Amino acid sequence: MARRDFLEIPRRTSPYRAAAERVRDHGELIHPLPLATVETQAARCMDCGVPFCHNACPLGNLIPEWNEMARRGDWRGAVENLESTNNFPEFTGRLCPAPCEPACVLAIGGDAVSIKEIERTAIDTAFANGWIHPRPPAYRTGRSVAVIGSGPAGLAAAQQLNRSGHRVIVYERSDRPGGLLRYGIPDFKMDKAVLDRRLDLLSAEGVSFECGYDCGIDVTGETLLRRHDAVVLAVGAEYARDVDIPGRHLEGVHIAMDYLTGQNRRVAGDPAPVISAAGRRVAIIGGGDTASDCLGDSHREACASVQQLVIYPEPPRQRPSSNPWPQWPLVLRSHAAHEEGGVRAFGVELLGFEDDMQGRVCGISVVDVDRSHDAGGRGLVRRAGTERRIDADMVFLAIGFAGVRPSPLFDQLGVTLDGGARIAVDSEFRAGPVVVAAGDAVIGASLVVNAIADGRIAALTCDRLLQASPRAAAL
């Protein structure tokens, strides 16, 4: 008899904790669903002959396969299948926007399978049952690789290269490893215990971490090439976009990531620069994940008020005909932070910052904008007569990232930058004879799932370079 679960079982995902409760702490947002409920959700998968979800996943996760295992209650098999393509399901299961789900066949006219929910449940169940153990390599090649950066791309590359038997040392500029996973992602989205648990596993597998090294300054590229047989650059796209408008110099106007980094340090109990939204009238400029993270942290600091201003007009709530399945839906997206309070306004351009005459920001000047009919509707035009002032004594600029942070390391390694913003690589992520690059440093600020996928490809390329070298042939 044909299965009809996808017709009879409604989609469910883990509910958020009550907003009034969660804004009082930095704990993760959700109440996880019971295991039996998630098994029922996995039964909604139709095991399509052509699994578009698999195609939409940058990692190529074998989604119908582990859905079927989850449906049968074979969670150990499900997580083994999941780990065959994804180094860190506990990261993607919390942070990935799940491009697989809108590509699900059920999403054509209904609700997709709750793939992300099943993925997170699989890996959390595995950790809870003690199924995840360090897997050090059976042998060592005698080759050494330096991985610069410990975000998701660097960690994925490090794990893959270590599993190939190479000695891997990860160099991190900050005092602790994790990159944006540690200092960019708030705890309410992913508890840092989840990150530390994985870092402990990597260390037990043989990966070494050297923190507090600003490569290019504290250790030169030439030194890295002498110490190691190859280098993987996974330095991210940390150089934030800024604005050049009146009043930018005023106290109280901050790059969003500076605020988020300080917040993460404070939550961890570490000393941090004092950028606090507590009691402030906050304005957040930008509409992406970084902006919503600032919104969530501002709520948790008990700001006086908060507004998020997005320059682009509000997206539609349903797919337009020009954006058909299985494309990523260009629709309005809301985060948990938007349920917690504040105002979100679309089609608002920032014109300048107002001075309280003591060198501190006290307001912002804005104007409404509309889509232009020129250039295919991609431009914006100001709407006459809508100029106004908004009270604000704390402003966070969350308008994206321009590319890699400037560093002498690139010249030292003989690496070129495409447009001065991204590391130039070939189709296999090679940036030099023994230098490989991956993640946001190559593709620009992107998704955690893309970073992990790129890290895996970079590791494969690096491994091939080492195997092809004369020294590797002699081992």
Side-chain angles (χ1 to χ4, degrees), residues 76-112:
R76 191 161 196 162
V79 80
E80 288 174 357
N81 183 292
L82 179 55
E83 285 195 308
S84 71
T85 56
N86 186 351
N87 297 72
F88 313 122
E90 67 271 35
F91 301 164
T92 54
R94 287 167 168 80
L95 305 175
C96 180
C100 52
E101 291 193 9
C104 172
V105 172
L106 283 178
I108 295 175
D111 294 327

Side-chain angles (χ1 to χ4, degrees), residues 204-253:
E205 291 175 350
V207 176
S208 298
F209 293 93
E210 296 288 347
C211 296
Y213 281 91
D214 189 351
C215 292
I217 298 175
D218 299 322
V219 55
T220 67
E222 294 86 353
T223 300
L224 290 171
L225 292 174
R226 285 197 305 270
R227 290 179 182 174
H228 304 282
D229 299 291
V231 174
V232 177
L233 292 173
V235 295
E238 297 181 312
Y239 195 53
R241 290 197 179 99
D242 209 333
V243 293
D244 184 15
I245 57 177
R248 172 61 184 91
H249 66 285
L250 293 173
E251 183 183 350
V253 180

Side-chain angles (χ1 to χ4, degrees), residues 83-167:
E83 285 195 308
S84 71
T85 56
N86 186 351
N87 297 72
F88 313 122
E90 67 271 35
F91 301 164
T92 54
R94 287 167 168 80
L95 305 175
C96 180
C100 52
E101 291 193 9
C104 172
V105 172
L106 283 178
I108 295 175
D111 294 327
V113 174
S114 49
I115 299 169
K116 180 177 175 180
E117 181 82 26
I118 300 164
E119 176 182 27
R120 192 195 66 253
T121 301
I123 188 64
D124 285 355
T125 300
F127 273 112
N129 284 280
W131 299 337
I132 306 298
H133 303 284
R135 290 188 286 169
Y139 70 98
R140 288 292 178 183
T141 64
R143 312 312 297 272
S144 174
V145 181
V147 175
I148 316 302
S150 64
L155 294 179
Q159 185 171 59
Q160 293 297 104
L161 287 164
N162 182 68
R163 287 176 174 174
S164 295
H166 308 301
R167 291 288 181 187

Side-chain angles (χ1 to χ4, degrees), residues 138-337:
Y139 70 98
R140 288 292 178 183
T141 64
R143 312 312 297 272
S144 174
V145 181
V147 175
I148 316 302
S150 64
L155 294 179
Q159 185 171 59
Q160 293 297 104
L161 287 164
N162 182 68
R163 287 176 174 174
S164 295
H166 308 301
R167 291 288 181 187
V168 179
I169 297 180
V170 178
Y171 293 86
E172 168 57 47
R173 184 165 56 94
S174 298
D175 57 339
R176 297 183 187 180
L180 288 183
L181 294 171
R182 183 175 299 282
Y183 290 125
I185 302 297
D187 282 52
F188 57 79
K189 289 176 70 173
M190 187 178 80
D191 192 295
K192 296 305 177 288
V194 174
L195 171 62
D196 289 332
R197 179 179 62 190
R198 180 58 70 173
L199 292 171
D200 289 344
L201 279 167
L202 291 174
S203 296
E205 291 175 350
V207 176
S208 298
F209 293 93
E210 296 288 347
C211 296
Y213 281 91
D214 189 351
C215 292
I217 298 175
D218 299 322
V219 55
T220 67
E222 294 86 353
T223 300
L224 290 171
L225 292 174
R226 285 197 305 270
R227 290 179 182 174
H228 304 282
D229 299 291
V231 174
V232 177
L233 292 173
V235 295
E238 297 181 312
Y239 195 53
R241 290 197 179 99
D242 209 333
V243 293
D244 184 15
I245 57 177
R248 172 61 184 91
H249 66 285
L250 293 173
E251 183 183 350
V253 180
H254 303 281
I255 295 295
M257 196 52 65
D258 294 339
Y259 171 60
L260 293 177
T261 298
Q263 277 292 99
N264 280 316
R265 288 186 179 279
R266 275 196 294 273
V267 171
D270 297 335
V274 180
I275 303 175
S276 176
R280 299 289 188 182
R281 297 167 298 173
V282 177
I284 302 168
I285 312 301
D289 287 348
T290 302
S292 68
D293 292 345
C294 288
L295 180 62
D297 267 331
S298 295
H299 291 319
R300 282 155 182 77
E301 282 206 280
C303 62
S305 64
V306 58
Q307 297 191 49
Q308 181 185 354
L309 307 179
V310 186
I311 191 170
Y312 296 106
E314 182 174 336
R317 295 173 185 264
Q318 302 292 330
R319 281 182 184 267
S321 58
S322 59
N323 176 217
W325 177 91
Q327 295 177 1
W328 176 256
L330 303 176
V331 297
L332 177 66
R333 298 186 181 279
S334 295
H335 298 265

